[in-house]
Amino acid sequence: MDDKTTTNGSSEYSSRRRYLIIGSVVASTFFVGFGGGVIFPILPNLGELLGISPFLVGFILSANRFSRLVANAPAGSLVDRIGTRTPFIAGLLIQSVGTFGYVIAMIAPLPEAWFLLARLVWGIGSALVFATAYTIAADVSQGGSRGTSMGLIRGGSIFGFPTGLVLGGIVSEVAGINAAFIVATAFALVASAMAYATVPETHVEGENRQTVSPWNIDTSLTTVTVGLVNFAVLFAYIGALFATLVLFLDEHGIGVLGFNAQGSSGIFMAITVLAAAVFMFLGGFVSDRTDSRIPTLLVFLIVSFVGFILLAGADSVETLTLACLFIGAGQGGTSGPLMALLADLTPNDEMGRAAGTNNVLGDIGGGLGPLISVPIVEVVGFAPVYAACAVMPLVAGAILLGGVYRETGMLLPATRLRGGINESLDD
């Protein structure tokens, strides 16, 4: 094995091999991510067309997170038990089936039931994909490159989401809603084939398989702390902003490039996600080159706070664009270092379960957001809801400092401090 050796139970990959593996995962998740983004600019307006209440629209948008909530723990345990390759490919295929469910929903009776089922199926596949993607990044990187690797995995994987946001809004206006869903299904199938051809096993080899219960989740203080930060950030970002933006644009008459609220919302959401993807890499890169990841995390949580304050007062294309850039940068800059911190403090053979627990808490936040924000916006308006969301990153910062201090005895633990993980030098 010229590109991988095993030393003290720890996998060590050459730099070239490491980035080839990460690139394969990023490419696969990019294509499948299209299906996740395509529905957001479309479904809120379908509520009026199909006669669906705002609560039901929010429930459908959240359904993938609730099914992923149930699937996250088994997915993480499965990864620690059988490895990463098979669950990763299976997750992509399941997401392809869920995306095709949108196509069926447009031609079948009871479309709201089909949309709900499709979102539930999509969430199960997503649980497998996220648990494996993060674990692969942890497996192939060390302390000095972990933030960058996590940023690449997380940032690169969500580039498919803004593609879906933009093309979902534009293709649905130009060629029809079902055309957008068909294109999304094709992307997901390409992702599955690409993963099968290129993604290797990184976590479990030969007979080194563990006997891990499907419901054996990681409830360590580190994992719960990181998960609660993830909860707060995703509640505001995915849960509230993405679920209400198309309604905000419609009420304020804001549009870009001649598109109505549906098409324009896809563009604005894509701005936040593109900013997030860029800063996921930059945040992880910076945290690798500082003494501790905590200052980087706190800076980007404050950036997110500023973004939601700007959003609460936005009344034009320019002010809304600025708010979206800040929100995206804050969310992205937090995500890479946050996952790297989790990997720093988690033993290698427990990383699948730690990622699963983190995803559980993030999905509770992302799932509750639309259920709470969409109906409340109807009553109190947008500004109070967005102002309340601005508080969430500040709360997350306090939780982060308290949890890390209790776990490590330091407010600023060293970047390379890891409990139970063998440190090896980068190639």
Side-chain angles (χ1 to χ4, degrees), residues 293-393:
R293 302 193 196 278
I294 303 300
T296 303
L297 286 166
L298 294 178
V299 166
F300 282 108
L301 287 171
I302 293 172
V303 170
S304 184
F305 161 78
V306 172
F308 276 102
I309 292 296
L310 292 172
L311 181 63
D315 58 2
S316 66
V317 171
E318 292 76 17
T319 55
L320 182 57
T321 300
L322 184 63
C324 287
L325 287 171
F326 267 81
I327 292 171
Q331 194 275 337
T334 302
S335 185
L338 189 64
M339 288 306 302
L341 178 68
L342 179 63
D344 284 349
L345 300 173
T346 302
N348 281 344
D349 60 358
E350 297 175 13
M351 187 58 196
R353 280 160 283 175
T357 301
N358 176 67
N359 290 339
V360 166
L361 291 169
D363 285 338
I364 292 175
L368 285 178
L371 285 177
I372 294 173
S373 63
V374 173
I376 291 181
V377 157
E378 297 282 330
V379 178
V380 304
F382 295 95
V385 171
Y386 294 152
C389 288
V391 178
M392 300 295 285

XYZ file of all heavy atoms in Angstrom, residues 293-393:
705
model
N -9.351 26.483 17.800
C -10.452 26.714 16.851
C -11.527 27.646 17.423
O -12.349 28.174 16.678
C -11.103 25.379 16.479
C -10.140 24.368 15.865
C -10.871 23.204 15.237
N -9.975 22.085 14.988
C -9.176 21.978 13.919
N -9.178 22.925 13.011
N -8.390 20.925 13.772
N -11.555 27.858 18.730
C -12.631 28.598 19.374
C -12.733 30.053 18.901
O -13.838 30.525 18.613
C -12.487 28.541 20.910
C -12.473 27.089 21.387
C -13.612 29.315 21.583
C -13.722 26.306 21.032
N -11.623 30.831 18.811
C -11.767 32.208 18.331
C -12.389 32.297 16.935
O -13.221 33.175 16.678
C -10.320 32.732 18.326
C -9.633 31.916 19.364
C -10.241 30.550 19.250
N -12.010 31.399 16.041
C -12.598 31.389 14.703
C -14.101 31.146 14.780
O -14.895 31.823 14.111
C -11.946 30.305 13.835
O -10.537 30.521 13.778
C -12.511 30.316 12.418
N -14.509 30.197 15.610
C -15.928 29.894 15.768
C -16.697 31.097 16.314
O -17.778 31.438 15.816
C -16.108 28.689 16.691
C -15.751 27.333 16.085
C -15.632 26.272 17.176
C -16.796 26.919 15.064
N -16.151 31.766 17.310
C -16.842 32.907 17.917
C -16.977 34.065 16.933
O -18.024 34.732 16.882
C -16.097 33.361 19.179
C -16.085 32.369 20.346
C -15.270 32.933 21.513
C -17.505 32.050 20.800
N -15.945 34.316 16.159
C -16.008 35.394 15.166
C -17.145 35.153 14.180
O -17.944 36.056 13.884
C -14.665 35.527 14.417
C -14.826 36.386 13.164
C -13.610 36.125 15.331
N -17.269 33.926 13.687
C -18.297 33.667 12.670
C -19.698 33.575 13.271
O -20.681 33.846 12.582
C -17.936 32.416 11.873
C -16.869 32.664 10.847
C -15.586 32.168 11.016
C -17.146 33.429 9.718
C -14.599 32.404 10.069
C -16.164 33.680 8.773
C -14.884 33.174 8.946
N -19.817 33.223 14.535
C -21.126 33.294 15.187
C -21.582 34.752 15.295
O -22.767 35.054 15.107
C -21.063 32.642 16.566
C -20.977 31.109 16.578
C -20.695 30.606 17.993
C -22.251 30.478 16.025
N -20.650 35.657 15.563
C -20.985 37.081 15.606
C -21.356 37.585 14.212
O -22.284 38.388 14.051
C -19.811 37.891 16.200
C -19.633 37.537 17.683
C -20.038 39.383 16.035
C -18.384 38.123 18.312
N -20.651 37.115 13.194
C -20.994 37.490 11.812
C -22.431 37.068 11.487
O -23.191 37.812 10.867
C -20.004 36.855 10.819
C -20.494 37.021 9.374
C -18.628 37.488 10.969
N -22.818 35.883 11.919
C -24.184 35.407 11.701
C -25.193 36.296 12.417
O -26.257 36.635 11.876
C -24.310 33.960 12.188
O -25.592 33.435 11.909
N -24.881 36.702 13.641
C -25.739 37.626 14.400
C -25.949 38.923 13.619
O -27.084 39.400 13.468
C -25.093 37.909 15.761
C -25.605 39.142 16.445
C -26.828 39.141 17.096
C -24.856 40.313 16.433
C -27.305 40.284 17.729
C -25.321 41.465 17.061
C -26.543 41.449 17.710
N -24.869 39.498 13.109
C -24.969 40.739 12.341
C -25.834 40.542 11.104
O -26.652 41.390 10.744
C -23.563 41.239 11.944
C -23.655 42.423 10.979
C -22.771 41.630 13.188
N -25.697 39.396 10.440
C -26.483 39.121 9.241
C -27.976 39.128 9.508
O -28.751 39.702 8.734
N -28.403 38.508 10.595
C -29.839 38.478 10.888
C -30.357 39.838 11.338
O -31.518 40.173 11.080
C -30.143 37.396 11.929
C -30.314 36.033 11.321
C -29.289 35.099 11.379
C -31.483 35.687 10.663
C -29.434 33.842 10.803
C -31.634 34.434 10.085
C -30.614 33.510 10.158
N -29.529 40.633 12.000
C -29.932 41.998 12.329
C -30.142 42.804 11.044
O -31.125 43.549 10.900
C -28.867 42.678 13.221
C -28.833 42.024 14.599
C -29.142 44.173 13.337
C -30.103 42.183 15.402
N -29.235 42.643 10.092
C -29.394 43.314 8.798
C -30.640 42.824 8.078
O -31.368 43.611 7.451
C -28.158 43.073 7.927
C -26.851 43.733 8.377
C -25.683 43.238 7.526
C -26.968 45.246 8.294
N -30.912 41.515 8.158
C -32.080 40.950 7.490
C -33.377 41.510 8.069
O -34.335 41.770 7.334
C -32.068 39.427 7.623
C -33.220 38.672 6.959
C -33.204 38.865 5.444
C -33.159 37.185 7.309
N -33.409 41.706 9.377
C -34.623 42.230 10.018
C -34.986 43.606 9.491
O -36.172 43.973 9.465
C -34.434 42.278 11.536
N -33.986 44.378 9.052
C -34.260 45.717 8.532
C -34.151 45.833 7.026
O -34.246 46.939 6.483
N -33.961 44.717 6.313
C -33.760 44.768 4.862
C -35.033 45.218 4.156
O -36.134 44.777 4.490
C -33.324 43.403 4.343
N -34.879 46.099 3.151
C -36.040 46.580 2.401
C -35.730 46.811 0.930
O -36.495 47.441 0.212
C -36.577 47.874 3.021
C -35.521 48.985 3.066
O -34.384 48.761 2.582
O -35.827 50.058 3.614
N -34.583 46.294 0.460
C -34.193 46.480 -0.936
C -33.303 45.323 -1.360
O -32.853 44.518 -0.517
C -33.437 47.799 -1.114
O -32.189 47.763 -0.434
N -33.032 45.238 -2.662
C -32.154 44.190 -3.176
C -30.771 44.304 -2.538
O -30.158 43.294 -2.147
C -32.041 44.267 -4.709
C -30.955 43.335 -5.227
C -33.375 43.927 -5.355
N -30.281 45.541 -2.407
C -28.934 45.743 -1.887
C -28.825 45.329 -0.419
O -27.891 44.607 -0.035
C -28.535 47.219 -2.039
C -28.351 47.686 -3.470
C -29.672 47.915 -4.203
O -30.712 48.033 -3.512
O -29.658 47.966 -5.452
N -29.754 45.783 0.406
C -29.673 45.454 1.831
C -29.926 43.968 2.068
O -29.314 43.357 2.954
C -30.682 46.289 2.636
O -32.000 46.114 2.097
C -30.314 47.756 2.596
N -30.802 43.368 1.265
C -31.062 41.941 1.415
C -29.846 41.123 0.984
O -29.507 40.116 1.627
C -32.292 41.546 0.602
C -32.720 40.080 0.687
C -32.992 39.674 2.127
C -33.957 39.830 -0.177
N -29.190 41.535 -0.080
C -27.982 40.842 -0.533
C -26.891 40.885 0.530
O -26.231 39.888 0.811
C -27.460 41.461 -1.834
O -28.457 41.357 -2.855
C -26.188 40.768 -2.302
N -26.704 42.056 1.141
C -25.694 42.190 2.197
C -26.021 41.283 3.375
O -25.135 40.609 3.917
C -25.622 43.647 2.651
C -24.548 43.967 3.696
C -23.148 43.707 3.138
C -24.674 45.426 4.156
N -27.298 41.256 3.761
C -27.706 40.389 4.871
C -27.446 38.924 4.544
O -26.948 38.165 5.388
C -29.188 40.622 5.183
N -27.769 38.520 3.322
C -27.562 37.124 2.920
C -26.088 36.751 2.921
O -25.713 35.636 3.301
C -28.170 36.890 1.536
S -29.985 36.842 1.515
N -25.236 37.680 2.508
C -23.791 37.412 2.515
C -23.279 37.216 3.933
O -22.492 36.295 4.208
C -23.046 38.560 1.832
C -23.166 38.635 0.306
C -22.565 39.938 -0.214
C -22.480 37.440 -0.351
N -23.723 38.065 4.859
C -23.291 37.931 6.248
C -23.812 36.632 6.862
O -23.073 35.925 7.564
C -23.786 39.135 7.067
C -22.798 40.257 7.147
C -22.683 41.166 6.106
C -21.975 40.406 8.254
C -21.774 42.216 6.171
C -21.051 41.440 8.325
C -20.948 42.350 7.281
N -25.080 36.312 6.624
C -25.656 35.096 7.196
C -24.945 33.858 6.654
O -24.601 32.938 7.397
C -27.168 35.033 6.906
C -27.894 36.121 7.686
C -27.737 33.655 7.270
C -29.354 36.284 7.300
N -24.722 33.833 5.342
C -24.029 32.702 4.743
C -22.611 32.564 5.254
O -22.159 31.458 5.589
N -21.900 33.692 5.339
C -20.522 33.650 5.839
C -20.479 33.171 7.278
O -19.606 32.378 7.662
C -19.885 35.033 5.715
N -21.427 33.641 8.090
C -21.454 33.229 9.489
C -21.727 31.748 9.654
O -21.054 31.047 10.417
N -22.718 31.248 8.926
C -23.048 29.829 9.015
C -21.894 28.966 8.493
O -21.508 27.977 9.116
C -24.325 29.541 8.228
C -24.946 28.180 8.511
C -24.354 27.062 7.674
O -23.795 27.315 6.605
N -24.464 25.837 8.153
N -21.337 29.351 7.353
C -20.261 28.570 6.755
C -18.990 28.597 7.578
O -18.355 27.568 7.805
N -18.603 29.791 8.032
C -17.381 29.908 8.809
C -17.434 29.155 10.118
O -16.405 28.761 10.667
N -18.639 28.932 10.622
C -18.820 28.143 11.837
C -18.719 26.650 11.557
O -18.134 25.884 12.342
C -20.193 28.445 12.467
O -20.289 29.839 12.760
C -20.395 27.653 13.752
N -19.260 26.198 10.436
C -19.461 24.770 10.189
C -18.162 23.976 10.089
O -18.016 22.934 10.730
C -20.285 24.580 8.909
O -20.581 23.230 8.704
N -17.209 24.431 9.296
C -15.963 23.696 9.120
C -15.192 23.515 10.425
O -14.865 22.389 10.827
N -14.872 24.622 11.130
C -14.158 24.482 12.410
C -14.947 23.711 13.461
O -14.361 23.029 14.304
C -13.952 25.943 12.852
C -14.010 26.734 11.597
C -14.998 26.026 10.715
N -16.283 23.809 13.427
C -17.098 23.105 14.414
C -16.957 21.588 14.250
O -16.775 20.851 15.226
C -18.558 23.519 14.282
C -19.511 23.043 15.380
C -19.136 23.657 16.726
C -20.952 23.396 15.025
N -17.033 21.104 13.011
C -16.870 19.671 12.773
C -15.438 19.233 13.042
O -15.188 18.117 13.508
C -17.273 19.323 11.344
C -18.775 19.394 11.088
S -19.739 18.391 12.242
C -19.048 16.765 11.957
N -14.474 20.110 12.754
C -13.079 19.777 13.051
C -12.862 19.675 14.555
O -12.135 18.795 15.026
C -12.156 20.829 12.451
N -13.490 20.566 15.325
C -13.398 20.498 16.779
C -13.972 19.183 17.291
O -13.397 18.539 18.185
C -14.141 21.681 17.405
C -14.173 21.735 18.934
C -12.773 21.995 19.490
C -15.144 22.818 19.413
N -15.105 18.772 16.738
C -15.700 17.496 17.131
C -14.741 16.338 16.851
O -14.549 15.452 17.693
C -17.016 17.286 16.377
C -17.752 15.971 16.650
C -18.173 15.884 18.114
C -18.978 15.842 15.738
N -14.120 16.347 15.668
C -13.173 15.284 15.322
C -11.919 15.348 16.182
O -11.349 14.315 16.533
C -12.806 15.365 13.844
N -11.469 16.560 16.546
C -10.297 16.709 17.408
C -10.489 16.008 18.742
O -9.562 15.410 19.293
C -10.032 18.192 17.696
C -9.401 18.927 16.530
O -8.965 18.273 15.575
O -9.365 20.172 16.584
N -11.703 16.084 19.283
C -11.963 15.628 20.649
C -12.678 14.285 20.711
O -13.127 13.873 21.778
C -12.789 16.689 21.390
C -12.132 18.076 21.517
C -13.106 19.077 22.115
C -10.871 17.997 22.353
N -12.806 13.606 19.562
C -13.523 12.331 19.516
C -12.596 11.216 19.042
O -11.919 11.367 18.022
C -14.725 12.427 18.553
O -15.597 13.475 18.991
C -15.498 11.111 18.512
N -12.534 10.081 19.740
C -11.733 8.942 19.264
C -12.180 8.500 17.880
O -13.370 8.557 17.550
C -12.007 7.854 20.314
C -12.402 8.598 21.546
C -13.147 9.810 21.058
N -11.229 8.028 17.064
C -11.534 7.664 15.672
C -12.682 6.672 15.555
O -13.556 6.818 14.700
C -10.288 7.055 15.015
C -9.292 8.112 14.578
O -9.628 9.294 14.483
N -8.064 7.697 14.334
N -12.679 5.645 16.425
C -13.677 4.597 16.258
C -15.068 4.991 16.755
O -16.000 4.205 16.680
C -13.224 3.300 16.943
C -12.994 3.478 18.434
O -13.153 4.608 18.950
O -12.649 2.473 19.103
N -15.211 6.225 17.257
C -16.514 6.717 17.689
C -17.014 7.871 16.822
O -18.071 8.451 17.085
C -16.445 7.180 19.152
C -16.115 6.060 20.130
C -15.944 6.569 21.549
O -16.318 7.736 21.813
O -15.428 5.808 22.392
N -16.264 8.214 15.768
C -16.592 9.401 14.989
C -17.924 9.269 14.258
O -18.660 10.241 14.108
C -15.466 9.695 13.986
C -15.644 11.012 13.243
S -15.749 12.435 14.342
C -16.413 13.672 13.214
N -18.248 8.065 13.784
C -19.526 7.888 13.107
C -20.690 8.215 14.024
O -21.635 8.920 13.645
N -20.631 7.715 15.260
C -21.705 7.981 16.216
C -21.728 9.455 16.632
O -22.801 10.038 16.831
C -21.535 7.084 17.436
C -22.049 5.664 17.223
C -21.459 4.691 18.226
N -20.090 4.344 17.885
C -19.304 3.589 18.633
N -19.754 3.106 19.776
N -18.072 3.304 18.243
N -20.549 10.070 16.774
C -20.503 11.489 17.124
C -21.133 12.339 16.025
O -21.906 13.267 16.296
C -19.057 11.923 17.366
N -20.813 12.020 14.766
C -21.413 12.743 13.643
C -22.923 12.534 13.612
O -23.683 13.465 13.320
C -20.791 12.286 12.325
N -23.372 11.316 13.934
C -24.800 11.050 13.962
C -25.520 11.874 15.010
O -26.581 12.455 14.751
N -24.959 11.961 16.212
C -25.566 12.763 17.275
C -25.588 14.238 16.897
O -26.591 14.941 17.121
C -24.785 12.579 18.594
O -24.784 11.197 18.952
C -25.421 13.385 19.709
N -24.497 14.723 16.340
C -24.448 16.113 15.890
C -25.539 16.387 14.863
O -26.219 17.426 14.908
C -23.070 16.415 15.295
C -22.980 17.816 14.729
O -23.041 18.802 15.441
N -22.842 17.901 13.409
N -25.724 15.453 13.942
C -26.755 15.624 12.924
C -28.160 15.583 13.526
O -29.068 16.267 13.050
C -26.619 14.553 11.844
C -25.386 14.749 10.988
O -24.842 15.859 10.922
N -24.910 13.696 10.361
N -28.348 14.753 14.564
C -29.645 14.708 15.236
C -30.016 16.087 15.768
O -31.124 16.605 15.512
C -29.633 13.682 16.395
C -30.847 13.882 17.305
C -29.641 12.256 15.856
N -29.115 16.705 16.504
C -29.413 18.002 17.097
C -29.554 19.092 16.033
O -30.407 19.976 16.139
C -28.322 18.373 18.107
C -28.324 17.499 19.364
C -27.063 17.724 20.193
C -29.554 17.771 20.207
N -28.722 19.023 14.977
C -28.869 19.989 13.892
C -30.197 19.867 13.191
O -30.832 20.863 12.841
N -30.656 18.633 13.015
C -31.922 18.420 12.327
C -33.125 18.814 13.176
O -34.165 19.206 12.642
C -32.047 16.956 11.896
C -31.171 16.642 10.699
O -30.814 17.579 9.980
O -30.829 15.458 10.491
N -32.993 18.704 14.484
C -34.070 19.215 15.336
C -34.209 20.720 15.125
O -35.313 21.243 14.978
C -33.793 18.891 16.817
C -33.877 17.381 17.058
C -34.793 19.615 17.717
C -33.488 16.974 18.470
N -33.080 21.420 15.079
C -33.124 22.862 14.831
C -33.664 23.202 13.462
O -34.549 24.044 13.316
N -33.137 22.523 12.435
C -33.591 22.788 11.075
C -35.034 22.385 10.858
O -35.743 22.977 10.045
N -35.500 21.370 11.576
C -36.870 20.912 11.422
C -37.871 21.767 12.168
O -38.973 22.038 11.676
N -37.496 22.215 13.375
C -38.406 23.063 14.140
C -38.547 24.455 13.530
O -39.593 25.092 13.661
C -37.904 23.196 15.583
C -38.101 21.994 16.511
C -37.493 22.288 17.877
C -39.580 21.665 16.646
N -37.490 24.915 12.856
C -37.503 26.266 12.295
C -38.699 26.562 11.416
O -39.458 27.513 11.671
N -38.932 25.785 10.342
C -40.099 26.057 9.495
C -41.421 25.893 10.230
O -42.368 26.671 9.992
C -39.971 25.018 8.368
C -38.527 24.677 8.333
C -38.065 24.753 9.758
N -41.531 24.910 11.123
C -42.774 24.700 11.856
C -43.129 25.900 12.717
O -44.308 26.249 12.875
C -42.665 23.456 12.737
C -42.744 22.099 12.041
C -42.547 20.973 13.055
C -44.083 21.929 11.333
N -42.105 26.548 13.266
C -42.344 27.692 14.139
C -42.396 29.002 13.361
O -43.277 29.838 13.565
C -41.247 27.755 15.227
C -41.359 26.535 16.150
C -41.337 29.044 16.028
C -40.231 26.414 17.151
N -41.445 29.187 12.436
C -41.306 30.486 11.778
C -42.413 30.790 10.780
O -42.904 31.930 10.718
C -39.944 30.582 11.087
O -39.816 29.611 10.061
N -42.826 29.812 9.970
C -43.833 30.090 8.934
C -45.156 30.544 9.541
O -45.709 31.575 9.138
C -44.029 28.858 8.011
C -45.199 29.087 7.059
C -42.754 28.589 7.208
N -45.726 29.836 10.534
C -46.973 30.333 11.125
C -46.804 31.650 11.889
O -47.685 32.515 11.836
C -47.389 29.200 12.086
C -46.671 27.997 11.603
C -45.372 28.507 11.051
N -45.664 31.832 12.595
C -45.478 33.053 13.383
C -45.328 34.273 12.484
O -45.814 35.368 12.803
C -44.263 32.908 14.325
C -44.578 31.894 15.424
C -43.889 34.244 14.947
C -43.453 31.687 16.413
N -44.654 34.102 11.344
C -44.523 35.208 10.392
C -45.894 35.711 9.961
O -46.102 36.916 9.764
C -43.685 34.754 9.174
C -43.977 35.606 7.956
C -42.196 34.815 9.501
N -46.843 34.788 9.808
C -48.201 35.173 9.412
C -48.855 36.071 10.462
O -49.745 36.860 10.145
C -49.051 33.909 9.209
C -48.581 32.986 8.106
C -48.969 33.480 6.724
O -50.007 34.156 6.613
O -48.219 33.214 5.770
N -48.406 35.967 11.707
C -49.046 36.700 12.801
C -48.307 37.993 13.146
O -48.920 39.052 13.255
C -49.145 35.806 14.063
C -49.758 36.582 15.231
C -49.966 34.554 13.767
N -46.963 37.904 13.312
C -46.210 39.061 13.813
C -45.368 39.744 12.746
O -44.825 40.826 12.982
C -45.319 38.654 15.006
C -46.143 38.025 16.114
C -44.198 37.707 14.561
N -45.220 39.137 11.590
C -44.396 39.725 10.550
C -42.976 39.184 10.555
O -42.596 38.384 11.413
N -42.194 39.665 9.595
C -40.858 39.102 9.382
C -39.800 39.669 10.324
O -38.955 38.926 10.822
C -40.429 39.345 7.930
C -41.267 38.623 6.922
C -42.333 39.252 6.317
C -40.997 37.307 6.595
C -43.124 38.580 5.382
C -41.771 36.627 5.674
C -42.846 37.268 5.064
N -39.809 40.990 10.563
C -38.737 41.618 11.341
C -38.595 41.024 12.736
O -37.471 40.708 13.164
C -38.950 43.131 11.407
N -39.666 40.826 13.497
C -39.489 40.235 14.832
C -38.923 38.818 14.780
O -38.116 38.434 15.642
C -40.917 40.244 15.412
C -41.634 41.306 14.661
C -41.064 41.251 13.277
N -39.341 38.032 13.784
C -38.837 36.665 13.671
C -37.346 36.668 13.361
O -36.551 35.936 13.981
C -39.614 35.891 12.587
C -38.948 34.537 12.311
C -41.061 35.678 13.018
N -36.918 37.504 12.425
C -35.505 37.558 12.065
C -34.657 38.130 13.206
O -33.507 37.711 13.408
C -35.306 38.362 10.790
C -35.918 37.729 9.555
C -36.342 38.507 8.476
C -36.090 36.355 9.467
C -36.902 37.936 7.344
C -36.658 35.773 8.345
C -37.069 36.565 7.278
O -37.632 35.990 6.162
N -35.203 39.103 13.944
C -34.472 39.641 15.100
C -34.283 38.567 16.166
O -33.216 38.472 16.792
C -35.222 40.842 15.678
N -35.313 37.734 16.372
C -35.191 36.638 17.332
C -34.138 35.635 16.871
O -33.374 35.092 17.686
C -36.541 35.957 17.519
N -34.072 35.392 15.562
C -33.062 34.471 15.024
C -31.648 34.993 15.251
O -30.698 34.207 15.364
C -33.303 34.253 13.530
S -34.749 33.239 13.156
N -31.502 36.334 15.317
C -30.171 36.908 15.531
C -29.611 36.531 16.903
O -28.376 36.482 17.091
C -30.238 38.432 15.391
N -30.494 36.266 17.841
C -30.038 35.911 19.186
C -29.457 34.502 19.230
O -28.587 34.194 20.062
C -31.217 36.032 20.182
C -30.786 35.621 21.591
C -31.754 37.459 20.190
N -29.910 33.632 18.328
C -29.507 32.230 18.370
C -27.989 32.033 18.280
O -27.423 31.238 19.047
C -30.213 31.452 17.262
C -31.721 31.462 17.332
S -32.361 30.608 18.791
C -32.101 28.901 18.335
N -27.256 32.710 17.387
C -25.796 32.513 17.357
C -25.109 32.960 18.644
O -24.086 32.378 19.028
C -25.350 33.373 16.159
C -26.564 33.530 15.319
C -27.712 33.554 16.268
